[in-house]
Amino acid sequence: MRKAVNDPVYRHRLVQLLVDAGLVALAYWLAFALRFDQGIPDRYSDLLWKTIAFVVVGKVLIFAAFGMYEKWWRYVGLRDFESILKAVVVASLVMVGVLYVWSPTDSDLPRSIAVMDGLMTLALIGGVRLAIRSVVERPPRGAVLPKGREVLIVGAGEGGQLVAKEMLRTPSLRQTPMGFVDDDPRKRGMRIHELKVLGTTTELDRLLDDIEPDEVVIAIPSAPGVLRERVVRACRERDIPVKTLPGVFELISGSVNLMRQVREVQVEDVLGREPVTVEIEEAGAYLHDRVVLVTGAGGSIGSELCRQIARVRPKLLVLLDHAEDNLFEIERELIRERHFTACESILADCKEAARMADVMQRFQPDVVFHAAAYKHVSLTEENPLEAVRNNAIGTRVCAAAAAAVGTARFVLVSTDKAVNPATALGASKAMAEWVVEALGRRHAGTVFCSVRFGNVLASSGSVVPIFRRQIEQGGPVTVTHPDMQRYFMTIPESVQLIIRAARLASGGETYVLEMGEQVKIIDLARNMIRLSGQDPDEVPIEIIGRRPGEKLREELFHPAERPVPTAADRILRAERPPLDPEWVDSVFERVEQLVEQRDEAFLAQTLGELAREAFGDSGREAEEDGGTDAKANAPGSIVAS
């Protein structure tokens, strides 16, 4: 009991209950006093004082049953007032019914007093809560005298209103909202929290010149990239800093303080397409209470897979990686920061057949996500034998071990570089896709599929962190070719695709995210320079020439493949003639022999031949037509013929 009394939440609820008890008593007395304005007759005065304690206790208990003391009054909203109305009506009807049946005196409770008591109770109970919320949200005049930075808020919806209220009631932020910008014509000229909707984003240039804010906040978590880019461009031309509310995924996984969630606009905010979002609890429901194994669990994609899988509460999440530091970090994050303890870390190399067989036999995983791979083009070009050993042979070892223990689903994380491969990385990932398809045809008990996507923003070694470092150092920002283009997606997008595609798969499919148009790397560099607050004309961009095997434009589908829509929005399936599993086996026998002999020269020739054998000459014809512009102008490529 002593612990409960010392609990601030308990004390706060007790104070609220006592205040309500006083208000109920006051309302009951006022109902009698107003009914008999010349003075309460003795017989009704006797009724008042004999029943007031019962009415107060009874109504407060009913209020508590309606949950009226589970929320602080400063946070009461419209839905709470609906609950208050229901609670007061029920409490008044119950009390009147009991008093008519009980009849503690010779006089019955007049109906006019019963009605007035209900109305007075509603006015006092609701009015006090509304007054407290108004006082809390309107800081004292002295508190807003130091105006600080003047902020223009883009978006007058829920997000914008939350940002404005946070600024108004937290003077320590030293930020003063000046008004809203919103594209909804119905809101034009409206006042929301005493702040005016000044215009639309198409009028932003004029508004920025007229009111000259110190800062602009984009308060639309789901704002499309086109809108963000328009706001950022207008602000950067005037040297006005821009911040943005994070997306829904970040808000869910972040802290409660809204203004701390406001961050600098990042390059992924202005890529010019709507992000792909998935309700992970629904899309990943098939993982609940299952044993799930993730290879490459410490990498950029693998670690995000682990975070999102943990949200659907699998029975056990097995984290497998051969990099000790990365594995340690993701395990620590899951257990200590996300409080997910149903995980076990395994140090292992996917290329070692005996070790993988032991792991699969020990955990008997229901689902395996194979994200372990070498992914850097330049390093894999310099070390082609290891690229093939890790990405292709390692996938075969891991997939075969999973099938041997009856794993229900095996999902390969692939890349657009596997289409018409022009590098060792692309060829090794293409072979990984082939072996997954072939094993799917042989093992009916396991559903195999591949998930193919483009460049992942902010992953380790990707272009975005490289550009950031170069910009911080004052340049130059290095771009290999002025016409270089790539598909881009965020890490959460790619992981959502992987999890959802695994649910769609029935066996052997390759799934691809519909990622919009490719982005020019040089335009990405210029945007990042602008986002850093610098002038693209002042930070030099240096064209350094293409690396061996580097394509000007990546492809998501091989010419022999046909994109087919799926039941999932913006996820496509690559449909093509099936590969012969016997041919795939012969391919791996040849390649494994070359890897064991460490014959890099002949491996290069063999990979080039295999890439053409898989789908005939359609890939070569595409290159000759200028579709990929890959091998002809890239001397030194590992798959050059």
Side-chain angles (χ1 to χ4, degrees), residues 352-362 397 401 405:
E352 298 177 1
R355 175 63 169 148
M356 290 307 301
D358 287 343
V359 171
M360 295 295 179
Q361 190 65 44
R362 174 184 172 188
V397 167
V405 298

Side-chain angles (χ1 to χ4, degrees), residues 416-432:
D416 54 4
K417 292 176 175 61
V419 179
N420 284 329
T423 60
L425 171 60
S428 64
K429 295 299 283 186
M431 290 178 65

Side-chain angles (χ1 to χ4, degrees), residues 136-171:
V136 170
E137 293 197 352
R138 184 191 297 275
R141 291 185 179 274
V144 297
L145 285 177
K147 293 181 69 174
R149 298 173 64 79
E150 295 183 326
V151 180
L152 180 65
I153 302 172
V154 177
E158 291 292 334
Q161 293 176 40
L162 285 170
V163 169
K165 286 195 290 186
E166 189 81 10
M167 292 179 181
L168 289 171
R169 67 187 179 191
T170 314

Side-chain angles (χ1 to χ4, degrees), residues 79-91:
R79 290 186 179 179
D80 297 295
F81 283 108
E82 293 176 2
S83 298
I84 291 170
L85 174 61
K86 294 176 183 177
V88 170
V89 170
V90 170

Side-chain angles (χ1 to χ4, degrees), residues 266-523:
Q266 298 171 355
V267 67
E268 48 263 45
D269 296 322
V270 296
L271 282 177
R273 67 169 172 85
E274 293 284 352
V276 176
T277 56
V278 174
E279 293 292 337
I280 197 64
E281 285 77 9
E282 179 183 348
Y286 67 97
L287 302 174
H288 176 68
D289 205 29
R290 296 287 188 269
V291 177
V292 183
L293 187 148
V294 178
T295 70
S300 302
I301 299 297
S303 60
E304 184 63 24
L305 264 170
C306 294
R307 294 183 192 103
Q308 296 205 32
I309 291 170
R311 289 173 56 190
V312 299
R313 297 291 161 181
K315 180 180 180 180
L316 177 66
L317 177 57
V318 182
L319 319 175
L320 188 146
D321 205 307
H322 74 282
E324 179 191 19
D325 290 345
N326 291 346
L327 188 60
F328 174 80
E329 289 299 329
I330 185 60
E331 181 191 46
R332 178 186 175 89
E333 178 184 335
L334 290 177
I335 295 175
R336 297 198 179 185
E337 297 178 24
R338 300 178 183 269
H339 310 293
F340 178 76
T341 57
C343 60
E344 187 157 349
S345 297
I346 302 296
L347 275 170
D349 191 332
C350 291
K351 302 188 294 292
E352 298 177 1
R355 175 63 169 148
M356 290 307 301
D358 287 343
V359 171
M360 295 295 179
Q361 190 65 44
R362 174 184 172 188
F363 293 104
Q364 302 280 319
D366 299 296
V367 183
V368 174
F369 292 95
H370 183 53
Y374 292 148
K375 64 177 184 177
H376 296 296
V377 173
S378 58
L379 285 176
T380 52
E381 283 298 281
E382 294 169 5
N383 302 274
L385 295 172
E386 293 308 311
V388 172
R389 190 200 306 272
N390 191 70
N391 295 355
I393 298 174
T395 297
R396 190 188 195 195
V397 167
C398 189
V405 298
T407 294
R409 293 179 184 271
F410 183 95
V411 187
L412 167 68
V413 177
S414 190
T415 170
D416 54 4
K417 292 176 175 61
V419 179
N420 284 329
T423 60
L425 171 60
S428 64
K429 295 299 283 186
M431 290 178 65
E433 289 187 8
W434 301 344
V435 77
V436 164
E437 179 185 340
L439 287 171
R441 292 169 65 84
R442 284 207 169 118
H443 297 275
T446 301
V447 174
F448 286 86
C449 72
S450 300
V451 184
R452 188 189 294 165
F453 47 84
N455 289 32
V456 179
L457 285 167
S459 62
S460 61
S462 68
V463 67
V464 170
I466 292 173
F467 281 178
R468 280 203 183 107
R469 288 195 298 270
Q470 291 175 336
I471 293 168
E472 289 170 1
Q473 295 167 3
V477 177
T478 55
V479 177
T480 57
H481 193 284
D483 296 326
M484 188 71 65
Q485 300 178 30
R486 289 293 182 268
Y487 292 103
F488 283 101
M489 64 191 308
T490 65
I491 293 177
E493 276 184 311
S494 63
V495 168
Q496 289 165 7
L497 166 66
I498 294 165
I499 292 174
R500 187 158 192 183
R503 185 181 185 182
L504 293 173
S506 59
E509 302 95 339
T510 297
Y511 292 99
V512 184
L513 176 65
E514 195 176 274
M515 291 185 289
E517 299 297 323
Q518 296 198 61
V519 176
K520 271 195 170 186
I521 302 299
I522 197 166
D523 291 340

